[in-house]
Amino acid sequence: MNLKLGNINIKDIKFGKKASLKDGVLNLVEKELEALVLSDENISSVKFDIAKPGESTRIMPVKDVIEPRTKVSGNGDIFPGVISKVDTVGSGVTHVLKGAAVVTTGQVVGFQEGIIDMSGLGAEYTPFSKTINIVADFTPVKGLTPHKYEESLRKAGLKLAYEIGKLGRDVTPDEVKEYEFLPLLESVQKYPNLPKVGYVQMLQSQGLLHDTYVYGIDMKLSLTTMLSPTEIFDGAILSGNCVSACDKNTTYHHQNNPVITDMFEAHGKTINFCAMIITNENVFLMDKQRSSDWTAKLTKYLGLDGAIISQEGFGNPDTDLIMNCKKVEGMGVKTVIITDEYAGREGTSQSLADADPSADAVVTGGNANQVVTLPPLKKLIGSTSHVEKIAGGFKGNMAKDGSITVEIQAIIGATNEMGFNKMSAR
């Protein structure tokens, strides 16, 4: 597959009377966005706001972050299987509203949702303090079940990103990046002297609002499989997770997966990036064994020399991670795993819930139990009603002046296990 990503640099976002995108300024009409959201009978109201880098603004609790993109040419459309038809994507031309993001908040269904601070200490831990955020604050209709509301909230964010992204369809990009992903045999023939390297991406799929969707299907219903990494740029993988904010992969993380972009950067130079494998994370031991067996078999079948394995989450998924690592290494394929740590507030506890000698090449996104005090900010979008219950919070953690003391696991993307953050150690 061959995909061109045309980045349109967004310099500012405003609300106005007519939707447009010109000279890097994105103009949106609130009433149009509201009508789009309220077409879902499960949502009773929505409020919109814009949060810009450097402002004294706190957004919480955050459900998802999505980058507006639009398909200009090629097969299919953005967010296949959910917003658009189930067509294979990942080829042609896609325009990206780079620097803009849709953020969903409000009465969310889980208490593990996170914080985005646009300035202060908290801003240093999240990449979304650097984006201009269109924030949608939702209220559900009364009596709606949590799972049904989660679905409506998730789809509403995607609808907004899809419609906003279309404003960039006829705009000339500021930068175009091209990604080519060849069939395996062609790739090996083209780069016969380079090591064959694949990426194994573990997707959170443990149920109970811990879901990731691939072409609209919950990944826990699938076995380990393959796709082109360019498909992910077009929104083939979407977040449906209500998990700890620090290592939760939002939809934006998937759209901008840095493991994929870095492997493409090295492709044809130091490695032959020739395989993309996705696998799920499971609750029961038998399911973990089945999925990790399939992962290892695929790496062997594809003849890989090495593989990068990234996980999502911590604790229970650590077992899936180590199983994948151990079995892939057992096939003679060298691995590097990407994770984060829950090593206790003093950093003295065991970092992972599982371990094996084969996991001897590890990149960590940091210790999620590290404690910080976020300063009071002037503006709040959303609510602090669950500040004590949020993962990383505790009773009495919000002071009278509005400052919040939390573990950094409460901050969206703080220890992201794709490496989409600023902290790392080798």
Side-chain angles (χ1 to χ4, degrees):
M1 287 185 173
N2 186 288
L3 178 67
K4 292 181 180 178
L5 290 182
N7 292 328
I8 303 165
N9 296 328
I10 303 302
K11 303 172 185 176
D12 197 7
I13 301 177
K14 301 177 181 179
F15 288 126
K17 296 182 179 180
K18 183 178 180 180
S20 65
L21 174 53
K22 185 177 180 181
D23 298 328
V25 178
L26 182 62
N27 287 286
L28 303 172
V29 181
E30 284 187 83
K31 288 186 178 180
E32 293 178 356
L33 299 180
E34 182 181 26
L36 178 68
V37 169
L38 296 184
S39 63
D40 187 332
E41 62 183 10
N42 294 322
I43 299 174
S44 67
S45 65
V46 61
K47 295 184 294 183
F48 292 97
D49 214 323
I50 298 171
K52 301 179 182 181
E55 292 181 341
S56 184
T57 300
R58 173 166 293 143
I59 311 167
M60 71 176 294
V62 174
K63 164 63 178 172
D64 199 9
V65 184
I66 311 144
E67 185 171 59
R69 298 188 172 198
T70 190
K71 205 75 190 151
V72 176
S73 66
N75 194 55
D77 204 349
I78 301 297
F79 309 137
V82 180
I83 302 302
S84 56
K85 293 181 180 179
V86 185
D87 293 315
T88 300
V89 293
S91 61
V93 178
T94 296
H95 283 182
V96 181
L97 273 57
K98 188 57 64 180
V102 172
V103 176
T104 53
T105 186
Q107 184 182 329
V108 295
V109 292
F111 296 135
Q112 299 190 52
E113 310 304 340
I115 300 169
I116 295 174
D117 280 358
M118 301 304 295
S119 63
L121 178 62
E124 298 177 13
Y125 289 95
T126 176
F128 305 118
S129 63
K130 305 298 187 294
T131 52
I132 306 175
N133 301 317
I134 307 128
V135 187
D137 186 349
F138 298 95
T139 302
V141 297
K142 292 183 179 179
L144 195 65
T145 62
H147 285 80
K148 192 62 181 176
Y149 178 49
E150 188 280 327
E151 180 183 6
S152 293
L153 184 62
R154 169 166 37 89
K155 289 183 177 179
L158 297 172
K159 288 178 186 177
L160 289 168
Y162 180 84
E163 290 301 318
I164 293 169
K166 288 197 296 187
L167 295 172
R169 182 168 293 171
D170 298 321
V171 177
T172 301
D174 297 293
E175 174 190 39
V176 176
K177 293 187 176 182
E178 186 170 356
Y179 300 93
E180 182 183 58
F181 193 74
L182 296 172
L184 179 64
L185 294 181
E186 290 183 30
S187 187
V188 173
Q189 290 173 355
K190 187 172 182 178
Y191 304 107
N193 299 318
L194 292 178
K196 300 181 291 297
V197 181
Y199 174 31
V200 177
Q201 184 178 4
M202 295 168 52
L203 303 177
Q204 178 60 253
S205 54
Q206 294 180 295
L208 298 175
L209 305 175
H210 293 49
D211 306 304
T212 303
Y213 295 87
V214 181
Y215 281 90
I217 296 297
D218 193 330
M219 188 58 189
K220 68 173 171 285
L221 302 176
S222 175
L223 284 167
T224 303
T225 188
M226 296 182 291
L227 44 64
S228 168
T230 58
E231 295 175 71
I232 300 174
F233 291 147
D234 277 344
I237 299 180
L238 305 173
S239 173
N241 293 337
C242 302
V243 297
S244 289
C246 62
D247 50 20
K248 164 180 176 166
N249 290 331
T250 67
T251 296
Y252 190 105
H253 284 102
H254 290 297
Q255 294 171 295
N256 294 275
N257 187 316
V259 179
I260 292 175
T261 54
D262 284 358
M263 291 183 76
F264 267 125
E265 183 65 29
H267 177 61
K269 301 171 185 175
T270 58
I271 64 169
N272 179 4
F273 179 25
C274 60
M276 175 81 197
I277 299 169
I278 56 173
T279 187
N280 49 22
E281 298 174 355
N282 298 282
V283 176
F284 300 109
L285 180 60
M286 182 173 65
D287 296 326
K288 294 176 184 293
Q289 291 174 330
R290 181 186 298 111
S291 290
S292 55
D293 282 347
W294 278 60
T295 299
K297 284 189 296 184
L298 279 176
T299 61
K300 181 67 173 180
Y301 174 76
L302 295 169
L304 299 184
D305 299 304
I308 295 174
I309 306 173
S310 68
Q311 76 162 331
E312 180 176 11
F314 69 99
N316 190 297
D318 292 349
T319 301
D320 301 80
L321 175 68
I322 296 302
M323 278 187 171
N324 281 318
C325 175
K326 182 178 180 179
K327 292 179 182 180
V328 171
E329 287 271 352
M331 292 290 183
V333 181
K334 298 292 184 181
T335 65
V336 174
I337 64 174
I338 309 175
T339 182
D340 63 356
E341 303 171 60
Y342 284 76
R345 295 183 178 182
E346 302 301 322
T348 56
S349 300
Q350 180 174 317
S351 295
L352 298 177
D354 200 357
D356 189 85
S358 61
D360 58 359
V362 183
V363 178
T364 172
N367 178 20
N369 296 132
Q370 177 185 339
V371 177
V372 293
T373 297
L374 307 179
L377 298 180
K378 294 179 181 178
K379 183 176 181 179
L380 172 68
I381 304 176
S383 170
T384 59
S385 58
H386 296 305
V387 69
E388 296 182 346
K389 296 181 180 179
I390 198 169
F394 53 90
K395 187 174 179 59
N397 67 327
M398 185 170 181
K400 292 182 179 179
D401 66 354
S403 60
I404 302 173
T405 300
V406 288
E407 295 179 355
I408 62 172
Q409 67 170 304
I411 301 173
I412 290 283
T415 63
N416 181 262
E417 292 162 295
M418 293 177 181
F420 204 119
N421 63 345
K422 296 182 178 179
M423 297 191 298
S424 183
R426 297 182 181 179

